[in-house]
């Protein structure tokens, strides 16, 4: 299963895939606060997640935005831990 994260300043959208990783559907929307990463860890354990996909917004020319830099910073540790 895969988990997809749509990060926002106030809320974070979560989608989960089917067991084959072919179809994803909305799972939850949670507040962006200091409890989010505990919640994410609980989902990773409960659903045996194999891959994490984090949406990165880019500007019209494909360059990073202020938000994309923030997202990359917040989620950088996942790349190291789950590769």
């Amino acid at each position: 299963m895969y988990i997809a994260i749509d990060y926002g300043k106030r809320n974070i959208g979560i989608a989960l895939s089917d067991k084959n990783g072919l179809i994803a559907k909305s799972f939850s929307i949670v507040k962006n606060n200091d409890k989010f990463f505990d919640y994410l860890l609980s989902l990773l354990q409960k659903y045996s997640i194999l891959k994490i996909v984090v949406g990165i917004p880019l500007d019209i020319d494909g360059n990073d935005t202020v938000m994309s830099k923030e997202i990359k910073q917040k989620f950088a540790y996942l790349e190291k831990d789950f590769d």
Side-chain angles (χ1 to χ4, degrees), residues 21-41:
L22 298 175
I23 298 172
K25 64 180 181 175
S26 178
F27 179 77
S28 65
I29 297 173
V30 297
K31 294 287 180 198
N32 183 351
N33 59 32
D34 59 351
K35 297 177 185 177
F36 170 71
F37 284 103
D38 290 334
Y39 175 70
L40 178 59
L41 181 59

Side-chain angles (χ1 to χ4, degrees), residues 1-78:
M1 288 183 78
Y2 295 8
I3 189 168
I5 300 170
D6 184 14
Y7 181 88
K9 291 247 181 223
R10 291 187 186 143
N11 296 308
I12 301 171
I14 305 288
L16 293 178
S17 76
D18 62 0
K19 292 186 189 250
N20 297 321
L22 298 175
I23 298 172
K25 64 180 181 175
S26 178
F27 179 77
S28 65
I29 297 173
V30 297
K31 294 287 180 198
N32 183 351
N33 59 32
D34 59 351
K35 297 177 185 177
F36 170 71
F37 284 103
D38 290 334
Y39 175 70
L40 178 59
L41 181 59
S42 73
L43 292 179
L44 297 177
Q45 293 168 340
K46 182 175 181 178
Y47 293 101
S48 302
I49 301 297
L50 299 174
K51 295 272 183 183
I52 300 170
V53 178
V54 180
I56 305 291
L58 302 174
D59 70 15
I60 197 162
D61 296 320
N63 299 312
D64 279 335
T65 63
V66 171
M67 184 61 120
S68 63
K69 291 174 185 174
E70 180 180 333
I71 292 169
K72 287 178 180 182
Q73 224 175 11
K74 286 195 181 278
F75 291 92
Y77 77 96
L78 292 177

